[in-house]
Amino acid sequence: MTQQIADPIAGPITDRLGRVVVLEGISEDNWRAVADVAPADDQRRFVAALAARYLLLSLNGGVWTSVGVRAGDTIAGHLMWAYDAEDGTHWVGGMVVSAPEQGRGVGRAALRAVIQRLSALPECREIRLSCHPDNTAAARLYASLGFRATGEYEDEEAVMALPVRVPAV
Ligand SMILES: CC(C)(COP(=O)(O)OP(=O)(O)OC[C@H]1O[C@@H](n2cnc3c(N)ncnc32)[C@H](O)[C@@H]1OP(=O)(O)O)[C@@H](O)C(=O)NCCC(=O)NCCS
């Protein structure tokens, strides 16, 4: 049984082809398709060659939670998130849209969906991610949804943050 994560109040999030985009928990039905998600060859310097690597990290590390990105009938991508209880930030990582599915609005829809999902959690104060300085496509997408560079770096990647909630004083 596949668990779909969406906010029925905000209505469906769609890509540029009009397909409804949802974040889908990893299940018996979809794990093969999610594992096979692969970027274009020249994007392998930014992300893993196959989402399978992220799935293994989520399964074994106990830190990350992977989801498949479903666009209509197709598993079109992968992303994952982790919670840092020390500072109340959620991290998004492993964001990959399959090479043939790129440029159709799936990445934007998936990022909107994960922002919606994480910002609804009462403990979430900020959403963070990191991006290679040469990855202008991803940085442009993140900036367009409100992420701003923090000036910090993680493994040579620039950290970007989206404030979600200001703690009460
Ligand atoms: C980055 C990525 C997730 C974007 O997904 P996508 O489905 O192709 O993106 P979308 O079609 O939703 O486009 C969203 C925005 O991304 C940016 N973008 C996407 N492709 C781009 C390109 N080739 N050149 C420049 N900007 C681009 C644009 O700002 C675009 O804005 P628009 O909606 O106004 O056109 C996808 O290109 C990808 O998987 N890349 C390889 C893996 C990767 O780099 N992941 C990010 C790690 S930090």
Side-chain angles (χ1 to χ4, degrees), residues 116-150:
Q116 193 179 76
R117 158 89 180 160
L118 296 178
S119 60
L121 300 172
E123 72 277 15
C124 183
R125 305 227 174 278
E126 189 173 76
I127 301 172
R128 291 186 156 221
L129 44 75
S130 67
C131 184
H132 191 283
D134 295 344
N135 198 348
T136 46
R140 204 170 294 169
L141 167 62
Y142 300 147
S144 74
L145 287 176
F147 286 86
R148 296 289 174 260
T150 64

Side-chain angles (χ1 to χ4, degrees), residues 13 35 45 61 72 74 84 118 122 127 141 164:
I13 295 176
R45 66 197 180 110
T74 307
D84 184 341
L118 296 178
I127 301 172
L141 167 62
V164 170

